[in-house]
């Protein structure tokens, strides 16, 4: 990231995110109670440290790096630069934005997706059995890891179920205020589905984000944020010298049907009013 791009990233971070208010997660799953289920329903999220043990988090990092370095990847990989420009293994790694559809590609990642402690929390939050709907790893390299603007996950078609999904975002590196931890707007899921626009990404309109209510959610490696599929959330640019790698899974109630294309457009594309961002 060159100087002007860094300035632009820092300007977006300053305009769209707050860094003076951080949520304190539960120390472990042993602290998770029915009161936190009620908190989730009211606030749209709950954060818990230690959902993956240190060796499990390290195994997931190794698995993601193995998939990235494989000349014939067994998962899907999204790069930020043309692969022909990537001369070294490090350049290749640092150009990866996302790795996905990996659950059946590596046992460590499969184990994380179907981790019994994670599954138990998800089913408590859903109030019914869960099925895995999506798996991905989200990477922010140092000195330029990109922003994921504010959005609702169910605005992405593959997650547009008739019932709310639960997202589980798991830090593999320490995710802090300086390297792109998750930010949320507590209670925003209660406002329902909101229109999304193709601006910096598929996102909520910047003007419609309650930045004044933003709460950051720093996590240690293995810590997890469980969040409602309609919660407003995003992650700022990483302009630090540190990597920020995370797993993200989505779970839907089982069974659960998808929204029809017409209903999806009505909810997330605002075609009824032709509103613009």
């Amino acid at each position: 990231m060159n100087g002007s791009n860094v300035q632009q990233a820092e300007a977006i971070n300053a305009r769209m995110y707050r860094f003076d208010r951080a949520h304190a997660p539960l120390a472990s799953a042993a602290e998770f109670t029915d009161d936190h289920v009620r908190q989730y329903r009211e606030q749209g999220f709950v954060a818990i440290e230690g959902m993956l043990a240190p060796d499990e988090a390290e195994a997931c990092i190794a698995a993601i790096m193995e998939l990235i370095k494989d000349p014939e990847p067994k998962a899907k990989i999204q790069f930020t630069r043309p692969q022909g420009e990537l001369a070294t293994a490090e350049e290749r790694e640092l150009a990866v934005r996302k790795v996905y559809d990996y659950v059946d590609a590596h046992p460590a990642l499969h184990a994380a997706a179907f981790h019994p402690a994670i599954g138990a929390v998800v089913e408590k939050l859903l109030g019914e059995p869960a099925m895995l709907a999506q798996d991905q790893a989200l990477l922010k390299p140092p000195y330029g890891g990109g922003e994921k603007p504010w959005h609702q996950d169910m605005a992405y078609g593959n997650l547009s179920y008739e019932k709310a999904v639960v997202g589980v975002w798991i830090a593999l590196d320490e995710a802090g205020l300086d390297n792109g931890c998750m930010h949320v707007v507590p209670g925003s899921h209660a406002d329902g589905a909101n229109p999304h626009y193709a601006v910096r990404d598929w996102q909520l309109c910047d003007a419609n984000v309650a930045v004044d209510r933003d709460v950051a959610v720093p996590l240690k490696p293995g810590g997890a944020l469980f969040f409602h599929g309609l919660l407003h959330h995003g992650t700022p640019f990483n302009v630090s010298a540190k990597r920020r790698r995370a797993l993200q899974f989505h779970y839907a109630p089982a069974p659960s049907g998808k929204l029809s294309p017409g209903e999806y457009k009505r909810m997330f594309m605002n075609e009824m009013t032709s509103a613009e961002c």
Side-chain angles (χ1 to χ4, degrees):
M1 191 180 271
N2 61 36
S4 62
N5 288 339
V6 169
Q7 289 182 343
Q8 183 180 22
E10 290 177 339
I12 290 172
N13 281 359
R15 177 168 60 89
M16 294 307 304
Y17 302 90
R18 292 187 59 154
F19 299 90
D20 60 344
R21 198 158 47 203
H23 177 74
L26 302 178
S28 72
E31 295 188 358
F32 180 73
T33 68
D34 289 344
D35 285 340
H36 300 107
V37 176
R38 287 189 283 273
Q39 172 192 309
Y40 174 86
R41 291 174 182 162
E42 293 172 0
Q43 298 296 311
F45 72 100
V46 62
I48 309 175
E49 296 284 16
M51 293 306 303
L52 293 183
D55 61 327
E56 292 173 322
E58 290 168 7
C60 287
I61 288 177
I64 292 297
M65 295 301 102
E66 182 181 317
L67 292 175
I68 290 171
K69 293 174 182 177
D70 190 337
E72 297 182 2
K74 299 176 180 65
K76 296 176 182 176
I77 302 176
Q78 183 183 102
F79 290 90
T80 59
R81 293 169 53 194
Q83 294 187 56
E85 296 179 3
L86 308 174
T88 67
E90 183 179 28
E91 286 183 353
R92 182 177 173 87
E93 178 214 334
L94 296 180
V96 173
R97 178 177 183 266
K98 180 164 65 175
V99 181
Y100 58 108
D101 291 353
Y102 55 64
V103 159
D104 295 325
H106 199 286
L109 300 171
H110 186 280
F114 295 96
H115 198 289
I118 292 171
V121 173
V122 167
E123 294 201 349
K124 276 272 195 180
L125 298 176
L126 286 175
E128 55 188 308
M131 63 180 183
L132 181 67
Q134 184 191 53
D135 62 272
Q136 54 186 349
L138 305 167
L139 281 61
K140 286 188 190 289
Y143 305 116
E147 177 204 22
K148 180 64 177 178
W150 291 92
H151 63 285
Q152 296 172 301
D153 281 353
M154 290 175 69
Y156 290 78
N158 59 332
L159 295 173
S160 56
Y161 286 86
E162 293 172 335
K163 296 181 180 180
V165 302
V166 172
V168 183
W169 192 96
I170 306 169
L172 297 181
D173 301 299
E174 185 163 358
L177 294 171
D178 59 342
N179 69 335
C181 72
M182 188 73 84
H183 288 241
V184 302
V185 175
S188 54
H189 66 302
D191 296 333
N194 298 132
H196 282 59
Y197 305 86
V199 185
R200 297 186 302 282
D201 201 322
W202 187 239
Q203 63 175 91
L204 295 163
C205 185
D206 286 349
N208 295 337
V209 178
V211 177
D212 60 314
R213 292 165 49 203
D214 171 21
V215 174
V217 188
L219 290 167
K220 299 173 184 175
L225 171 69
F226 296 80
F227 61 100
H228 191 283
L230 293 177
L231 186 74
H232 296 190
H233 64 288
T235 59
F237 287 94
N238 175 16
V239 294
S240 79
K242 299 184 287 188
R243 285 172 170 77
R244 196 239 61 193
R245 293 166 289 194
L247 301 181
Q248 183 166 281
F249 302 112
H250 284 94
Y251 301 89
S256 184
K258 299 296 290 295
L259 292 176
S260 69
E263 186 68 2
Y264 173 84
K265 289 180 180 180
R266 185 188 70 79
M267 292 173 66
F268 293 110
M269 298 184 73
N270 214 13
E271 292 190 355
M272 300 294 286
T273 62
S274 300
E276 295 182 0
C277 181

